[in-house]
């Protein structure tokens, strides 16, 4: 997820502090900015936690694919009878 998303939301919250929006609009804009920052942080943390699992799974798939390739070419050395 791009880094500019929470930066833009933080900028929106700072703008609300400098130029407050009246009534429901201020609550809606502030809540949306805060929600975006929290969701982005949770997804970032989840990505950091699951990255090692994803890498191990990729290595395991590569190892299985290499074993299959060897088995396919096992009979290529058979010669014809003359």
């Amino acid at each position: 997820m791009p880094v500019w998303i929470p930066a833009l939301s933080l900028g929106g919250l700072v703008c609300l502090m400098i130029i407050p929006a009246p009534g429901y609009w201020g609550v809606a804009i502030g809540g949306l900015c805060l929600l975006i920052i929290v969701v982005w942080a949770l997804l970032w943390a989840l990505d950091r936690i699951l990255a090692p699992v994803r890498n191990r799974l990729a290595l395991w798939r590569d190892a299985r694919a290499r074993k299959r390739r060897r088995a396919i070419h096992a009979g290529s050395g058979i010669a014809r009878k003359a």
Side-chain angles (χ1 to χ4, degrees):
M1 196 175 247
V3 177
W4 59 268
I5 292 174
L8 187 66
S9 297
L10 185 63
L13 285 176
V14 170
C15 287
L16 277 177
M17 286 189 273
I18 295 171
I19 307 169
Y24 295 115
W25 285 108
V27 173
I29 294 170
L32 185 62
C33 289
L34 185 63
L35 181 68
I36 290 171
I37 292 171
V38 169
V39 167
W40 188 88
L42 288 174
L43 289 176
W44 176 78
L46 188 65
D47 184 50
R48 296 285 292 198
I49 291 169
L50 293 179
V53 175
R54 186 175 51 224
N55 292 339
R56 284 185 188 166
L57 186 60
L59 289 174
W60 181 69
R61 285 182 182 168
D62 275 349
R64 286 186 62 203
R66 274 187 259 138
K67 287 181 183 177
R68 287 184 187 153
R69 275 189 244 133
R70 286 187 205 136
I72 291 171
H73 298 291
S76 61
I78 299 174
R80 287 186 177 179
K81 284 187 175 180

